[in-house]
Amino acid sequence: AATPTKPGPFSHASAGDLELVGKLGQGAYATVHMARSPRLPGCIVAVKVIDLHVSDCDGDDSPDRRISDPRLKAAEEEARVLEKVAGRPHVITSMGSFRDAGVSYFVMERCNRSLLQAIDRLPSVTEATLSRLLREMLQGLAAVHEI
């Protein structure tokens, strides 16, 4: 059964509530996907997926897979941070997080473009525009560091 870890439309969700439709990126411990859900018809969201399992053997399908305590604690801390920064300006909107079958899911709004793509779409790039963008990014970063 899924365990809610952060309030939001996906607090009591399960992996079955998400249809992963494309990979946005991957890091050492997580993959971010685009997803659809009947909970938000017509919306595409971003979902960070963290497999909390580790194996004492080489293969991912090993029966010796167990939940990693450090990964679990890191996922719980991330859920706590997302809850605390909710609603702050210039911070991505979290729609909830949950754990299902040893995997943590963080559902959030999906940005339609990168910062570079947004700058490329501007009619002109001025010092004032770049200053505003940098100020907004720093305000978002400050909100996270105020926790």
Side-chain angles (χ1 to χ4, degrees), residues 112-130:
N112 293 327
R113 62 186 69 89
S114 70
L115 176 60
L116 183 57
Q117 290 167 330
I119 290 171
D120 281 345
R121 291 182 179 194
L122 294 172
S124 66
V125 180
T126 65
E127 184 178 336
T129 300
L130 291 175

Side-chain angles (χ1 to χ4, degrees), residues 14-27:
S14 69
D17 290 319
L18 298 167
E19 176 193 355
L20 304 182
V21 295
K23 186 172 165 180
L24 293 172
Q26 184 168 353

Side-chain angles (χ1 to χ4, degrees), residues 85 89-91 135-147:
V85 298
H90 313 297
V91 175
R135 185 174 45 258
E136 290 172 359
M137 288 181 0
L138 291 173
Q139 287 170 345
L141 188 59
V144 173
H145 284 276
E146 287 172 359
I147 301 174

